[in-house]
Amino acid sequence: MELTTVWFALIAILWMGYFALEGFDFGVGMLLPVLGRTDRERRVLINTIGPVWDGNEVWLLVAGGATFAAFPEWYATLFSGFYLPLLLILVALIVRGLAFEYRHKREDAQWKRRWDAVLFFGSLVPALLWGVAFANILRGVPIDADLEYTGGFFNLLTPYALLGGAMTLLLFLTHGAMFIALKTDGSIRYAARTLAVKLGVVAAVVAVAFLGWTQLKTGDAASALAFLVAALALVGGIAAAAAGREGWAFLGTFVAIAVGVAGLFLALFPDVMPSTLAGGTSLTTTNAAATAYTLKIMTVVAAIFTPLVLAYQAWTYWVFRKRIAVHHIPETVLAAGPR
């Protein structure tokens, strides 16, 4: 197998991990005003992701770095053409991180409400725009013969792209509700489980519409199989949530998102960014790749450090595996961050 194909697959795996892990982070943030009726309840929700949210973002950093090093032409065209939506995502992620750190600094209700709003919008914007961005990568964008993006921002807001954004938004909401049901106890747990079933049904309809559209446009047998597995996993997760099996429910949405992303990359391959212009040049794993020597060095580095990162993150989830509830949160929290 060529190293260009290997690195395309590795980048796909990184995005699978990012969406499956950061997806429930976004979901928890968006559900903060829905399931958190009191400050202590909102504190419980924040604490479910407090130990892991920043570690989950490492997948995005590595995916971006790997794309820059392995496929520099893809990286350059992507960031020049998608500059505004990617900038909005970056700003949202920055202020979202600030919300985690600053919310607890003052025992003032208005102060906390403002940071809760920042956390909500800082989760909603990436959840929506990541779907829009990936839908445009799959659909194709105007790229000329010099591999330059020639469109504008509004070229990205097509019905297909907006449907992709709606899909990721609803899937992350469902995934977040499943995670809250898994990680909490008491009234929050049962409310989250009930909400997860309702959200899951809507998310399933939208996901089937988007993945079906994608399959008709660019899919093949491999992507069709991946989409089928993702759909079955999502339905299984919803059924498990309805039966009160939170662990299996969360596993269902986790697999659905990860395998669904895999299907999108299978539908995209061997392109990395198709061109919609008649005389344009599509970016592929061949013409967008770095030199063979660069890919060899990257492969050695990835083989050494990837297992270490995976082991550390698995250890983190194991340490913070227990459920939390309102009675674990003191009435007044003066100087403690997410824990």
Side-chain angles (χ1 to χ4, degrees):
M1 182 183 296
E2 294 184 0
L3 285 179
T4 54
T5 303
V6 170
W7 274 98
F8 180 85
L10 289 175
I11 290 171
I13 292 171
L14 290 170
W15 281 107
M16 290 165 61
Y18 175 66
F19 280 153
L21 293 172
E22 187 85 307
F24 69 74
D25 280 359
F26 292 147
V28 173
M30 289 186 287
L31 292 172
L32 194 65
V34 179
L35 296 175
R37 294 167 297 179
T38 66
D39 180 67
R40 293 176 74 189
E41 289 180 341
R42 289 189 288 274
R43 185 71 184 181
V44 168
L45 297 177
I46 292 172
N47 282 10
T48 61
I49 57 176
V52 299
W53 70 268
D54 48 355
N56 292 341
E57 289 189 352
V58 171
W59 290 80
L60 174 62
L61 297 175
V62 178
T67 304
F68 172 76
F71 300 101
E73 286 287 354
W74 184 13
Y75 183 92
T77 304
L78 178 65
F79 275 78
S80 61
F82 292 21
Y83 179 80
L84 182 56
L86 292 178
L87 177 63
L88 291 174
I89 290 173
L90 178 60
V91 171
L93 293 177
I94 291 172
V95 298
R96 181 171 173 267
L98 291 175
F100 283 114
E101 298 298 331
Y102 280 89
R103 183 187 188 275
H104 64 278
K105 297 297 184 182
R106 289 173 56 185
E107 282 303 314
D108 178 75
Q110 187 175 18
W111 171 271
K112 290 185 176 182
R113 282 195 299 270
R114 288 173 178 171
W115 285 115
D116 289 344
V118 170
L119 181 55
F120 171 79
F121 287 105
S123 301
L124 183 146
V125 170
L128 175 67
L129 292 184
W130 278 131
V132 173
F134 267 82
N136 275 288
I137 292 174
L138 284 160
R139 178 184 67 92
V141 291
I143 302 174
D144 63 20
D146 296 323
L147 305 181
E148 296 289 339
Y149 178 79
T150 60
F153 173 72
F154 291 102
N155 292 102
L156 306 177
L157 302 180
T158 64
Y160 175 74
L162 294 175
L163 182 62
M167 180 190 70
T168 53
L169 180 68
L170 289 167
L171 283 177
F172 292 166
L173 278 168
T174 304
H175 199 32
M178 298 287 192
F179 183 75
I180 292 169
L182 177 65
K183 283 287 294 177
T184 62
D185 209 350
S187 60
I188 298 177
R189 173 186 178 183
Y190 302 111
R193 195 169 68 197
T194 301
L195 182 60
V197 175
K198 296 177 181 178
L199 287 170
V201 172
V202 180
V205 173
V206 175
V208 167
F210 178 78
L211 297 180
W213 194 347
T214 301
Q215 182 63 27
L216 291 174
K217 287 172 64 69
T218 61
D220 55 15
S223 62
L225 178 60
F227 293 155
L228 177 61
V229 172
L232 292 175
L234 180 57
V235 171
I238 296 170
R245 304 292 297 273
E246 289 103 344
W248 287 106
F250 178 73
L251 180 63
T253 53
F254 187 97
V255 172
I257 292 173
V259 177
V261 173
L264 296 180
F265 275 89
L266 287 169
L268 180 62
F269 184 80
D271 291 332
V272 295
M273 210 165 176
S275 174
T276 57
L277 296 180
T281 302
S282 295
L283 295 176
T284 68
T285 55
T286 302
N287 65 12
T291 63
Y293 183 67
T294 299
L295 295 178
K296 288 179 182 178
I297 295 176
M298 290 176 58
T299 303
V300 173
V301 173
I304 295 172
F305 288 102
T306 301
L308 297 177
V309 174
L310 292 176
Y312 170 76
Q313 194 159 29
W315 176 80
T316 302
Y317 276 93
W318 175 255
V319 170
F320 295 100
R321 67 188 182 277
K322 294 184 179 180
R323 293 180 182 270
I324 60 174
V326 172
H327 66 266
H328 294 125
I329 306 298
E331 287 287 353
T332 301
V333 181
L334 293 177
R339 63 186 187 277

